[in-house]
Amino acid sequence: MALLNSFHKLPALVFSLFICSFLSAQSIDKEVEDTSWKKIYRATPTKDFDLVHTKLDVRFDYAKAYLYGKVQITLKPHFYPARQLRLDAKGMELHEVSLLKGTQKIKLRYDYSDENNLNIFLDKEYKGGETLSIYIDYTAKPNEYAAKGSEAIKEAKGLYFINPKGEEKDKPIQIWTQGETEANSVWCPTIDKPNQRQTDEISMTVPDKYVTLSNGLLVMQKKNTDGTRTDTWKMDLPQAPYLMMMAAGDFKIYKDKWRNKEVSYYLEPAYAPYAKQIFGNTPEIIEFYSKILGVDFPWQKYSQIVVRDFVSGAEENTTATVHNESVQRTPRELLDGNQEDYIAHELFHQWFGDLVTTESWSNITVNESLANYSEVLWFGYKYGKDAGDAKFLEDMTYYLSDPAKEKLNLVRFNYADKEDVFDLVSYQKGGAILHMLRNYVGDSAFFKALNLYLTTNKFKSTEATNLRLAFEEVTGEDLNWFWNQWYYGSGHPNLKIDYIYTGEKVKVIVQQQTGKLFRLPIAIDLYSGPTKERHKVWIEKQSEVFEFPYSKKPDLVNVDGDKILLCVKEDNKTMENYEHQFKYARTFIDRHEALEYFYSKMSKNIFWGLKDKYKGIRYQALGIIAELKDSMDYKEAEPELKKIAESDEHRPNRAIAISLLSYLGKDEYLPLFKKSLLDSSFSVSIASMIALQDKDMEYVKEKLHLIKKEAKGDLLNIIRNFEISSSEESKFDSLYNAFDAIEFGLEKFEFAEPFTRFLGHVTDFNKFKKGVNAINSFRKNIQPGTQAREMVMDLIKGILKKKEEMYSKNNSEDIKKQIDYLKTIVK
């Protein structure tokens, strides 16, 4: 499963307003932390029974959002004899519960008083290993069942009817499921625990116009006389119950292949022509994973389906991954970025999570940490080591951004709700821990251990200890210290690093700033020019002093030479050290750290990043320059900015460079902006549109229909804002009324920016004053001292600046009158 909110961040402007004008403007009671959960031990689910096989037949009632199901569940007592069976069945209406004996059905007594647990009283005592089959006729009502979600899953009602009555014209009619953690029991009675495994056969009856998808292979299709069709999917390899899935709707199927196995992509018809561009690397990813793990893709086929309103980033159902709609993009959108991290993440789960599955949610790290780290592996293989390192740094930074997570163990036996373990610790921190482990044992041992873990535990449930045992068997080393520190412990090191040069040797002083001590095997590299001398050391005490003799003072001492440590650090290097680090240390993180230091010192060494070989470093340098543009003279970087704007392989880099060039106000760049306005990339086109809006608005208006083509969401809002800001003065009344009609809040703020820009070219004083007063009144309603209030004032100051520029070219009394009025507000 992919964390939803790691890929869907609010734009900075919107986020600032949300925090400032909604939270800050209200009196918020301080929450008292509920710590009672810390005393609750969450044991691995006891296995009274083992699932064997589920045979399910379902029909859907779109009008009521109901599922009518008939299920045969084959299972057996795990070890001890049993007379009673408990199944998970959430919020259902039960019509029949029977025991199947041959062709006979024997009705059984049951207790379903809490509508969550179905307790069935069997006809006799069944011995351990003795098979029995239960038949249940039921109605599932998912919309009437409410369950808590998590950071990774917004809600947990298992079965979702999307626009079932077709009332939303721009949204397709779809049905899909989401089982993890224990939500499949909302639509199918089962033992809904991760340490169960079963084969299954699912028959879905749907309108004949729709296609279906489930686990395994489509083994039969039968057309019915009522205009429906029944599709039967068979999964003959065992999987955990939460990995069962169903989907139905108007999808187009693109069929690809890996070796002799089908690989297919299910997309909405409008996106079907781009299936290969969206998912085309899938076979290569399968091949890459199969080779590095030494275990070929283990399932019958692999499908990926994109659905609307999905409650997570994605879900790794066995043989059938479900993606949220952000994966579905046009070629224009794909130029600015894709969701290949989702695709790689969910694919790795087919081994880690599906073939071998966590035995409990406490041990979700054996699923999610490995899948998260697969993104680093794939990006490093496909796009180079810098790309892999950039992904590692992104994950580590994301984890460190939430100080509350420092208190949580990776393996957690105490939590308030099972959904809580799907967080930055299980995903991003866990992935970073694996990165350190890989560096410590070496690539050969790392992948050999993963192979051993998979082959030893195939079709089984495991915990973090099983992973440790595999690594110990391969390396021959006791790794309890590593697992105790990183898997069963919390937090991360906070290091302070100092350097003392005595003339004959350098002392490297590393202090651990936290109460908890970590054991850290690292490399310390000494550089003389491009030549590196490596020393491997262990940091184990509160304060460590490492001494290295030299005949010539090193240009750089680089602690954690491979840049693999998950930590916070204060590294007290000099400007000269960081200059050398950028030029010669050369890992992505080395260069990234150097640029951050240059940024802190407002050094023009930042410009070095513009020439870097890797797009991510160029992007970082561009972002820093954009942030410092008001306080830094970046004219000497113009040639490189122009080069990036014209031809950088990474379209977002071109967009930022265009924005920076436009800020210089030089007409010589107008041909570049006009050419870039028609670029296929939205980011480049919109950056050019903004660059031209005060230079040649009529040209932009003429081309606006081309820019707007295929735009949606935030991109469409930006274009619409431009349309507002560039409107003719005759539209004043309609725009004013639209702004005035919006209630105080986020939507009004978003309208304020283009409306303010529109006022910049309004000449009628009374209209201008009326519009400015509306903006200022909105500002006054935002709590004083908040960023949002300051941002609205900045909008008003922007009008003043524009009017003063206009007055310098045309000494109009009308403009002077507007300036004087603005100055009464901007004091």
Side-chain angles (χ1 to χ4, degrees):
M1 181 191 304
L3 269 176
L4 181 65
N5 53 347
S6 64
F7 302 108
H8 296 272
K9 300 183 180 76
L10 287 172
L13 189 66
V14 176
F15 181 77
S16 297
L17 176 72
F18 181 80
I19 295 300
C20 298
S21 67
F22 285 96
L23 299 184
S24 301
Q26 300 176 35
S27 174
I28 302 173
D29 293 329
K30 185 177 180 181
E31 289 187 18
V32 178
E33 183 185 5
D34 178 11
T35 60
S36 59
W37 59 268
K38 294 179 180 178
K39 299 177 183 178
I40 303 172
Y41 175 75
R42 306 289 181 175
T44 297
T46 300
K47 296 177 74 173
D48 296 319
F49 278 81
D50 292 330
L51 290 171
V52 177
H53 183 74
T54 293
K55 185 176 182 181
L56 178 65
D57 191 336
V58 302
R59 292 179 297 114
F60 304 103
D61 186 329
Y62 286 80
K64 294 181 179 178
Y66 285 178
L67 174 150
Y68 303 119
K70 296 178 181 181
V71 63
Q72 295 176 221
I73 306 167
T74 304
L75 66 174
K76 56 189 177 182
H78 179 72
F79 181 80
Y80 297 107
R83 294 190 64 94
Q84 189 172 324
L85 166 66
R86 190 201 71 81
L87 297 176
D88 297 290
K90 301 183 176 85
M92 297 177 179
E93 181 181 341
L94 302 181
H95 308 300
E96 181 183 350
V97 178
S98 298
L99 178 73
L100 290 176
K101 286 202 170 181
T103 58
Q104 266 190 318
K105 283 188 204 172
I106 301 171
K107 289 195 175 181
L108 298 173
R109 291 186 303 112
Y110 61 88
D111 176 17
Y112 190 51
S113 53
D114 70 352
E115 297 189 348
N116 274 291
N117 298 280
L118 173 57
N119 293 295
I120 303 172
F121 305 102
L122 303 174
D123 63 325
K124 67 168 190 172
E125 181 175 89
Y126 286 80
K127 298 176 183 178
E130 184 178 358
T131 300
L132 66 149
S133 292
I134 301 294
Y135 171 84
I136 303 173
D137 186 342
Y138 64 96
T139 300
K141 304 176 180 181
N143 288 355
E144 298 171 26
Y145 179 81
K148 176 183 178 289
S150 67
E151 285 187 38
I153 315 161
K154 289 190 291 187
E155 58 183 352
K157 61 183 184 181
L159 174 64
Y160 297 80
F161 289 80
I162 306 304
N163 192 26
K165 299 177 184 179
E167 295 169 336
E168 299 177 66
K169 65 176 183 178
D170 295 326
K171 182 177 285 188
I173 297 171
Q174 296 177 350
I175 291 173
W176 48 262
T177 63
Q178 163 57 29
E180 195 171 21
T181 51
E182 298 172 12
N184 274 346
S185 48
V186 176
W187 56 272
C188 179
T190 187
I191 302 174
D192 206 353
K193 303 299 176 187
N195 60 346
Q196 291 284 339
R197 296 191 88 88
Q198 63 173 19
T199 56
D200 55 72
E201 181 179 308
I202 298 178
S203 296
M204 285 181 274
T205 299
V206 299
D208 192 37
K209 62 183 177 180
Y210 294 146
V211 300
T212 67
L213 177 65
S214 188
N215 313 97
L217 298 175
L218 180 61
V219 295
M220 187 172 68
Q221 290 188 302
K222 176 188 172 186
K223 291 202 175 194
N224 306 313
T225 56
D226 61 355
T228 64
R229 189 188 71 255
T230 301
D231 289 356
T232 300
W233 292 83
K234 190 172 183 180
M235 182 66 185
D236 56 10
L237 295 172
Q239 63 174 341
Y242 76 85
L243 295 169
M244 287 194 300
M245 71 81 68
M246 300 186 297
D250 182 14
F251 299 100
K252 294 294 182 185
I253 307 171
Y254 181 96
K255 292 194 175 182
D256 208 340
K257 69 176 183 177
W258 171 75
R259 297 184 187 175
N260 63 340
K261 292 185 178 182
E262 179 185 310
V263 175
S264 55
Y265 318 128
Y266 289 61
L267 293 148
E268 291 176 31
Y271 292 90
Y274 321 127
K276 194 73 173 173
Q277 290 158 279
I278 296 167
F279 289 117
N281 282 339
T282 300
E284 186 181 354
I285 301 173
I286 296 175
E287 183 69 19
F288 170 62
Y289 289 164
S290 295
K291 284 184 175 178
I292 62 170
L293 297 172
V295 177
D296 284 348
F297 179 77
W299 308 104
Q300 305 96 315
K301 65 103 165 61
Y302 187 62
S303 300
Q304 295 176 90
I305 187 167
V306 183
V307 303
R308 291 289 188 100
D309 301 342
F310 196 53
V311 291
S312 180
E315 178 60 36
E316 66 273 11
N317 310 296
T318 317
T319 77
T321 287
V322 179
H323 288 285
N324 78 70
E325 63 204 81
S326 68
V327 171
Q328 202 162 235
R329 301 184 180 192
T330 65
R332 286 195 72 186
E333 292 171 303
L334 288 168
L335 284 172
D336 292 319
N338 57 31
Q339 298 286 33
E340 196 162 270
D341 45 1
Y342 279 26
I343 294 166
H345 179 117
E346 301 309 323
L347 237 175
F348 209 61
H349 269 311
Q350 298 297 312
W351 287 266
F352 297 93
D354 296 5
L355 182 63
V356 181
T357 309
T358 180
E359 68 170 18
S360 68
W361 304 121
S362 295
N363 282 279
I364 195 62
T365 176
V366 299
N367 289 13
E368 294 301 347
S369 300
L370 280 150
N372 203 85
Y373 189 55
S374 73
E375 300 169 33
V376 174
L377 296 174
W378 168 248
F379 276 66
Y381 165 78
K382 180 65 175 175
Y383 304 108
K385 187 175 183 301
D386 281 346
D389 288 349
K391 199 77 184 67
F392 163 69
L393 179 61
E394 176 188 313
D395 288 342
M396 180 170 68
T397 304
Y398 196 22
Y399 157 69
L400 293 173
S401 70
D402 187 351
K405 302 304 183 189
E406 187 176 351
K407 302 174 184 177
L408 301 175
N409 293 355
L410 181 56
V411 177
R412 268 166 276 170
F413 295 104
N414 303 81
Y415 50 78
D417 188 279
K418 59 186 177 297
E419 305 295 340
D420 297 344
V421 301
F422 292 83
D423 62 5
L424 299 175
V425 177
S426 297
Y427 287 73
Q428 282 77 10
K429 182 183 181 184
I433 288 168
L434 287 163
H435 194 57
M436 291 188 291
L437 179 62
R438 177 186 171 194
N439 181 267
Y440 177 67
V441 302
D443 275 13
S444 179
F446 182 80
F447 292 114
K448 179 64 177 174
L450 292 184
N451 171 274
L452 181 62
Y453 170 79
L454 289 171
T455 53
T456 303
N457 301 295
K458 181 180 180 180
F459 301 125
K460 294 180 183 177
S461 302
T462 63
E463 57 180 290
T465 297
N466 296 98
L467 190 63
R468 174 179 62 81
L469 292 172
F471 272 87
E472 288 183 342
E473 184 167 337
V474 168
T475 63
E477 181 180 348
D478 185 337
L479 291 169
N480 274 292
W481 69 271
F482 189 93
W483 257 253
N484 290 339
Q485 176 171 281
W486 291 112
Y487 280 80
Y488 303 111
S490 62
H492 50 267
N494 189 329
L495 305 178
K496 182 174 183 289
I497 308 169
D498 293 294
Y499 309 88
I500 300 175
Y501 297 89
T502 64
E504 296 180 347
K505 60 186 174 183
V506 57
K507 290 183 179 181
V508 181
I509 305 163
V510 183
Q511 299 177 66
Q512 298 200 45
Q513 306 278 67
T514 54
K516 178 180 179 179
L517 294 181
F518 288 81
R519 293 186 69 198
L520 306 171
I522 61 164
I524 298 179
D525 295 335
L526 276 63
Y527 282 84
S528 293
T531 305
K532 177 178 72 177
E533 177 186 300
R534 171 155 289 194
H535 301 270
K536 293 187 176 182
V537 301
W538 284 75
I539 300 169
E540 299 182 279
K541 297 183 292 188
Q542 197 84 51
S543 181
E544 297 274 13
V545 180
F546 304 102
E547 297 186 357
F548 305 106
Y550 59 77
S551 55
K552 178 186 174 186
K553 182 180 177 181
D555 296 302
L556 168 68
V557 177
N558 199 17
V559 176
D560 183 24
D562 290 326
K563 292 296 179 286
I564 48 83
L565 273 187
L566 168 60
C567 68
V568 173
K569 66 181 177 181
E570 177 191 332
D571 198 349
N572 293 310
K573 295 173 183 168
T574 65
M575 175 65 79
E576 291 76 14
N577 294 152
Y578 275 113
E579 289 174 343
H580 203 85
Q581 180 170 313
F582 186 90
K583 292 176 182 177
Y584 297 108
R586 302 307 292 167
T587 72
F588 167 82
I589 297 178
D590 281 316
R591 281 135 56 216
H592 177 90
E593 285 181 352
L595 281 184
E596 287 298 306
Y597 181 83
F598 300 155
Y599 172 37
S600 70
K601 301 298 182 183
M602 293 186 66
S603 165
K604 291 187 177 181
N605 289 344
I606 293 162
F607 301 157
W608 293 357
L610 298 176
K611 297 182 179 181
D612 197 85
K613 62 179 181 177
Y614 180 57
K615 64 182 181 182
I617 293 294
R618 298 195 300 277
Y619 184 81
Q620 181 191 6
L622 288 162
I624 292 171
I625 296 168
E627 192 164 333
L628 296 178
K629 67 181 184 298
D630 293 321
S631 52
M632 172 181 278
D633 180 359
Y634 59 90
K635 289 180 182 177
E636 65 186 77
E638 270 189 70
E640 204 61 41
L641 289 173
K642 184 173 182 289
K643 181 179 176 183
I644 291 172
E646 289 175 333
S647 60
D648 197 281
E649 62 171 319
H650 189 50
R651 289 306 214 285
N653 285 352
R654 289 196 205 179
I656 301 173
I658 286 167
S659 298
L660 288 169
L661 291 174
S662 72
Y663 196 74
L664 296 173
K666 295 183 177 181
D667 289 345
E668 66 185 87
Y669 295 120
L670 291 180
L672 169 62
F673 300 157
K674 287 184 177 182
K675 179 182 177 183
S676 300
L677 183 70
L678 303 179
D679 193 90
S680 297
S681 155
F682 278 114
S683 64
V684 173
S685 182
I686 289 173
S688 303
M689 177 186 77
I690 295 169
L692 286 166
Q693 65 183 348
D694 291 330
K695 293 287 187 179
D696 197 339
M697 191 178 285
E698 292 307 313
Y699 180 79
V700 177
K701 285 182 179 180
E702 179 188 327
K703 304 297 182 184
L704 203 57
H705 67 286
L706 297 173
I707 304 167
K708 201 173 180 179
K709 187 179 179 183
E710 297 178 2
K712 61 186 179 183
D714 289 341
L715 295 171
L716 185 58
N717 287 336
I718 292 170
I719 296 169
R720 284 174 176 166
N721 285 348
F722 175 83
E723 290 177 309
I724 293 168
S725 64
S726 60
S727 296
E728 300 295 334
E729 187 167 341
S730 60
K731 296 284 184 69
F732 175 84
D733 288 338
S734 62
L735 292 177
Y736 173 85
N737 291 335
F739 181 73
D740 188 57
I742 302 171
E743 295 292 327
F744 175 83
L746 188 59
E747 185 182 356
K748 199 173 187 78
F749 185 89
E750 290 176 333
F751 199 102
E753 192 274 335
F755 184 52
T756 305
R757 290 190 65 85
F758 163 73
L759 293 174
H761 59 262
V762 169
T763 57
D764 183 281
F765 178 76
N766 290 327
K767 289 179 178 178
F768 177 80
K769 181 179 178 182
K770 186 178 180 180
V772 169
N773 285 344
I775 297 290
N776 196 37
S777 176
F778 171 58
R779 179 187 69 86
K780 288 179 178 179
N781 283 328
I782 302 173
Q783 183 174 329
T786 61
Q787 185 180 354
R789 185 170 171 132
E790 293 174 9
M791 290 167 77
V792 178
M793 176 54 81
D794 287 341
L795 294 177
I796 297 172
K797 289 177 180 177
I799 310 177
L800 175 59
K801 182 180 179 182
K802 182 171 182 178
K803 292 294 181 180
E804 287 175 334
E805 290 173 355
M806 292 170 66
Y807 186 69
S808 68
K809 298 174 183 176
N810 175 13
N811 294 330
S812 164
E813 283 302 313
D814 290 334
I815 298 175
K816 180 68 166 60
K817 193 175 179 182
Q818 291 178 344
I819 291 171
D820 290 341
Y821 184 71
L822 285 169
K823 285 182 176 178
T824 66
I825 298 172
V826 182
K827 297 178 182 178

